[in-house]
Each structure stands twice: as C-alpha cells, then as structure tokens.
Amino acid sequence: QVQLVESGGGSVQAGGSLRLSCAVSGSTYCIDMSWYRQAQGKEREFVSSIYSDGSATYADSVKGRFTISQDNAKNTLYLQMNSLKPEDTAMYYCKALRYCSTDSGRNYWGQGTQVTVSS
C-alpha cells in the first residue's frame, strides 16, 4: 500500500505561482510518481510524471511553466507551478504507479488539493 497526501493548493491570481507537495508513505519501492488534475465537469487529465531515472514528462499545456521534482530523503513529490492561468484551475491529484512486485500496475491516488486561478 502507498499513502499519498497532497497540500499546497490555494487561490492565486493569473501569473502567480504555487508549489504543490505530495507526502508519500507506506511501501514506497518501485513507484513512478505523477500529477493529474480534474477541472469541474471535465475528465481527469495528465499533468506531469517523474521516473526513477530522474527524467520527467509534461502535458503540452503546462510545459515550460510547471516543474515536477521529488525529494527522496523526505519522501515528497512537488509540482512547482509558475505563470498560472485561469485554465489551470482544477483539483490536483498525486498518483503513484507500482512497476514491480505483486501489485505491479496498480495506481494509488491522493485525495487532491484545489488550485484556483483568477483572472
């Protein structure tokens, strides 16, 4: 089992910045971490992932504005969000994907943190 707790959401004006955090606990071996978001009335969408080799991928909509990182010593995942736009308004979720062991392929989700960007 993996437990994920997001924090750092809030309300900000367009052009502002926020840093989201995701505290990871439990069986933290063999997991790739990601951020997803879901705007009201829309489907959940991919934002960014970071892999065990340190590489990262981003959705085109956030590329160049958002940066994913992780602090393994603190078991924490981050999402630095700069130049925020109203269309970034959504609930942001942290996800862990197990890629080995008996639960390989299983996704674990946090409860989400709300980000609201006003124009």
Side-chain angles (χ1 to χ4, degrees):
Q1 293 286 331
V2 180
Q3 292 79 44
L4 306 171
V5 180
E6 301 95 334
S7 62
S11 297
V12 65
Q13 288 191 328
S17 298
L18 283 173
R19 188 177 80 157
L20 305 184
S21 298
C22 174
V24 185
S25 61
S27 301
T28 59
Y29 61 91
C30 291
I31 54 173
D32 285 329
M33 301 298 301
S34 301
W35 289 99
Y36 281 72
R37 66 186 182 186
Q38 187 168 18
Q40 194 167 5
K42 296 187 177 181
E43 293 189 354
R44 193 170 296 188
E45 65 176 7
F46 168 77
V47 175
S48 180
S49 288
I50 189 165
Y51 304 99
S52 57
D53 63 357
S55 62
T57 56
Y58 297 91
D60 287 344
S61 58
V62 307
K63 203 171 292 183
R65 299 188 297 122
F66 291 10
T67 303
I68 191 171
S69 62
Q70 59 187 9
D71 185 332
N72 291 326
K74 295 182 179 179
N75 281 341
T76 303
L77 176 73
Y78 301 101
L79 185 68
Q80 178 66 44
M81 305 186 296
N82 298 329
S83 302
L84 282 162
K85 304 175 181 180
E87 51 263 44
D88 295 318
T89 295
M91 185 74 78
Y92 283 72
Y93 296 91
C94 175
K95 189 196 81 166
L97 170 64
R98 180 88 73 204
Y99 59 83
C100 73
S101 190
T102 56
D103 59 345
S104 178
R106 180 172 178 177
N107 287 312
Y108 297 88
W109 293 91
Q111 84 290 347
T113 186
Q114 178 67 37
V115 171
T116 302
V117 184
S118 59
S119 57

